[in-house]
Amino acid sequence: MAKIVRLSQVVGGGYSEFWKDQRRYECIKGGRASKKSKTAALRMIFRLMKYPKSNALIVRRTFATLRDSCYSDLKWATERLGVAHLWKFSVSPLEVTYLPTGQKILFRGMDNALKITSISVPHGVLCFVWIEEAYEVTDEDAFNKLDMSIRGEVPKGHFKQVTLTLNPWSEAWWGKKRFFDTPSDNVFTLTTTYRCNEWLDDTDRRLFEEMKKNNPRRYRVEGLGEWGISEGVIVFALAVLFHYGIGMGSQIFRERHKNRVEQEGVETMVGMDPQGRIHAFAEAVDELSVAFAAMDGRQKPKQQDHLDILAQEITGKLCADCDGCVVCLEQQKPDFWIKIRRMLQAVAQHSTKEEILSQNFMEECPRYSGMVEEAIWAFSRMELNEAWYHRLQENRKVIADQLDAMADALQDWDQGIRCMDRTERVLLAKIAFETRERGLDVKQIHVYEDKEKRRMVTALVASKWGGGIPVKNYRKALERASGMAVRLKEDTRSILTQEPVMITAYEDTCFYALSGVASEKEEGSSVSGDNFSLFSMENGHYHVCVSDGMGSGPSAFRESDMVVELMQKFMEAGFPQETAIRMMNSAMVLQGDRESYSTLDFMDLDLYSGQMTITKIGAAASFLKHKDRVECLRASTLPAGVDASCTGDVIHRKLTHGDFLVMVTDGVLEYLHVKNPEEKLAEMIKEIKTENAGTFAEKLMEHVMLFTGGHAPDDMTIVVSGIWEK
């Protein structure tokens, strides 16, 4: 017997227009828990079953996030509609198939543009595109390219549609102007809230009511789905930097370069001394930082008596053309203003309109209801202005910190790599000789030295007589000429031909490092709030970054992902570690109306010396395992995003052959259920006997899971890094 599904019961209310809409573009914004993603998933399943020649594409910024979000929502949707037996969900490749017809739901990430622009389906045509978390698509051009992926004719009765769902974090997002602010018959927009989600229980709804009371700005965005305030992160600082650096900064460069020539006798034309320009630029940025920090900001409005100001504003709007104005304002003047003030005091205490009307402060006023409405609106506006002022003051300090960090970075680059060609002429001659002996033609050889006195050699290298010569021959020539071990840049080709190629060689490190990871996401959660990154730098440093987003699920994932991504990008761009941390932290502080907090556990390991530096911002303890003992490394700072001035607690240690560093998120320690969990975890680490970092992490996670009964009550991540001599 066929099962009857009533859509009104399965889908619920609040989305009837969205469900029926067939316009080319749909943009659905909503606060948290507004069931927009769940409803979009339900409709996607329903539509493919209704339109037998249609196929769908689901997109997010990164492909890796799709499995734990949209893919899971679609699987849930088939269960809720009672049609799960008609659908096949596969992981490799990630796709969903409607078994009766072979229709497909495909998944792509914006991080692979090639796969988006080359989409084909085996049956029918691509009709529907759903962009989840569309706020993450920051480039309108990228959207336009995606939009072009659904082109061409569709079968009779079918139609094409692009659906965007998002949380409206910032009014600066390009889609606001395109879809919401510019009326079009081809666009459907909808704003939804948690109030239309009948699947929430009373506990869930209480959270929003508490947010409304304690954090009204956040409530307007996360609760009511209103646009968040437009605020820059690092982009603003960069804009200011280049405005001044290219504008009035050019004058600074000229003046300071002139002084440098006079004082140091540097005989270089202005504009032909890059190192001098970097130095001047760094000083200019540093001065901008001081200027920003010293600014008073916008003059704070005088607020000696808000209530009197609001009373004047409200009566001016509502009482001027009232027939009873003379009676109220002249005959009952003292009493009238007392009543107005009492009503405004009730508004200031966030009483509801119904509560204020029931108290009937103005018994005989014919416009009392309108006066209460105007008072509530005026008070809300005043609170928003106040919030804006405080936010401006906070951002001014953060921007100053960003500029200061950038000045530090520029000064560091100014003192960085120096060309040693003049002092290393003998070495250059030896390199030329040794390479020539091996049948290599080498030109444009340059020797550089960084601030740590480590050498780097660049050269244009080719085979002298044709045929293929192994690149290792060039490396051996360098080692023989210089008397030091050499490593080549990772992307260096293995065979040299007669076509010249630029090769960069570095003084080789004394150590190498490997890491292993074990992780468990919180039971019942779609995605882990923990993130990590492991990466090596050409300068011989090895980095491990671990971050734990506050809370769990997608929001925690976004926070920790931002921390990890920013740290890796800043470090790869050449920023010093301290500067990278300061800029990452300021970016977290400037996250609009979101309270974005995430821990940072960052390890910098110098593979030349074995010197390790760990920076902790709100992170759990780490553990350093030596041959015969385990050391606990603790810190006590707040998470990133709380305090713009926080640079974390820094711990220095010298590692030797066979040492292991164990980094964990707080979920690993919290559920050991012993008096001293750090001491217990240290005992577990000491008992593990293996030289393999991956095996180490897995065994440690197995030990921890014994204490939780095999369940993950929280996100848990363990990263083990070992160091060995070459």
Side-chain angles (χ1 to χ4, degrees), residues 1 7 23 48 51 60-61 138 164 183 186 270 279 318 345 366 393 448 453 484 514 523 591 608 637 649 652-653 725:
M1 183 177 178
L7 287 176
R23 276 167 279 194
L48 262 67
Y51 300 100
R60 286 196 63 173
R61 187 186 67 155
T138 57
L164 301 93
N186 210 24
V270 175
H279 180 74
L318 298 178
Q345 286 173 343
Q393 296 292 70
Y448 300 91
K453 306 297 182 181
M484 66 182 185
L514 295 172
E523 195 167 295
Q591 280 298 287
Y608 287 98
T637 58
D649 289 338
H652 300 281
R653 292 291 186 273
E725 292 179 359

Side-chain angles (χ1 to χ4, degrees), residues 86 235 279 293 333 407 475 634 706:
L86 300 175
V235 176
H279 180 74
K333 188 173 181 179
R475 178 176 58 80
R634 303 180 183 87
L706 290 175

Side-chain angles (χ1 to χ4, degrees), residues 32-47:
R32 294 189 185 274
S34 59
K35 71 177 187 184
K36 55 187 180 296
S37 299
K38 297 289 188 185
T39 307
L42 285 165
R43 193 185 69 169
M44 184 68 76
I45 296 297
F46 176 83
R47 277 192 169 172

Side-chain angles (χ1 to χ4, degrees), residues 239-250 252-253 281 284 288 292:
V240 173
L241 169 65
F242 283 101
H243 171 74
Y244 284 96
I246 298 173
M248 68 85 163
S250 61
I252 294 175
F253 295 148
F281 204 32
L288 278 175
F292 260 96

Side-chain angles (χ1 to χ4, degrees), residues 340-359:
I340 285 280
R341 200 173 177 89
R342 287 175 180 170
M343 183 265 290
L344 290 173
Q345 286 173 343
V347 173
Q349 294 169 4
H350 298 284
S351 300
T352 65
K353 178 184 174 181
E354 291 72 22
E355 291 171 342
I356 299 172
L357 289 174
S358 66
Q359 296 182 56

Side-chain angles (χ1 to χ4, degrees), residues 626-662:
H626 304 285
K627 292 181 181 179
D628 55 350
R629 62 188 179 90
V630 176
E631 181 185 2
C632 183
L633 309 176
R634 303 180 183 87
S636 58
T637 58
L638 294 171
V642 178
D643 181 5
S645 62
C646 178
T647 56
D649 289 338
V650 181
I651 302 169
H652 300 281
R653 292 291 186 273
K654 181 71 176 288
L655 303 190
T656 58
H657 177 82
D659 286 347
F660 284 97
L661 176 70
V662 181

